[in-house]
Amino acid sequence: MTDAQGKTLKSDTVTLEMAAPIKIKKQPQNVMLNVSESAEISVEVTGEDLSYDWYRKIGDESGFTYIYNSKATCSVYVPKGEKICQYYCVISDNYGQNVKTNVVTVKSVVFAEIAEGINYIKSLVGYGKNSVSTLCF
């Protein structure tokens, strides 16, 4: 390279390696849990030196809260007294790239809702003294 005064500047050859982009191969899936149970959700990605930041929203909260930096798997549950939580993960690498998973819903089966469903079914089949007295599930 030569400047306006005719001075020449020589530099070394530089080789830049670009990081492969982070790609999500498999998104986490929605989960249905019994009361007081927990489960695991996971994401499968391609990339190098990855970190996983998981976020959660409980019930009707207005936003998501960072819960922890983990691996590709996150232990999930619905806190007592709540019906649903939502989770997502931001996956990052050392090159500044990041991707976000879909938001997944974790629902807690509430026994009162099951009882309501059974009562509704009973009303449909005419549950009473002149009808079938036992429902099998």
Side-chain angles (χ1 to χ4, degrees):
M1 185 154 101
T2 305
D3 67 11
Q5 287 79 30
K7 295 180 185 175
T8 302
L9 176 65
K10 183 178 179 184
S11 71
D12 293 331
T13 302
V14 176
T15 303
L16 297 175
E17 291 186 31
M18 300 299 291
I22 303 170
K23 292 194 179 190
I24 297 176
K25 292 170 56 177
K26 184 178 178 189
Q27 293 277 354
Q29 301 296 307
N30 294 333
V31 177
M32 180 82 72
L33 299 173
N34 290 321
V35 175
S36 302
E37 281 187 336
S38 64
E40 290 188 339
I41 57 175
S42 62
V43 58
E44 287 183 30
V45 295
T46 60
E48 298 175 8
D49 300 318
L50 301 175
S51 64
Y52 301 82
D53 294 323
W54 289 93
Y55 296 82
R56 176 179 67 194
K57 182 172 100 168
I58 300 171
D60 294 330
E61 289 180 352
S62 61
F64 285 82
T65 303
Y66 172 78
I67 52 174
Y68 58 91
N69 180 287
S70 176
K71 299 290 183 192
T73 300
C74 178
S75 180
V76 297
Y77 67 97
V78 177
K80 188 174 183 177
E82 297 291 338
K83 292 184 181 182
I84 68 165
C85 283
Q86 293 179 306
Y87 293 82
Y88 73 88
C89 184
V90 175
I91 302 102
S92 305
D93 66 15
N94 292 336
Y95 303 101
Q97 301 182 93
N98 62 60
V99 294
K100 177 183 164 187
T101 66
N102 294 337
V103 173
V104 296
T105 300
V106 178
K107 291 184 179 182
S108 177
V109 176
V110 179
F111 293 110
E113 291 173 343
I114 295 171
E116 285 178 26
I118 291 171
N119 287 335
Y120 176 71
I121 292 170
K122 287 178 181 178
S123 72
L124 291 177
V125 297
Y127 186 77
K129 62 182 176 181
N130 295 327
S131 63
V132 177
S133 61
T134 304
L135 294 174
C136 299
F137 294 93

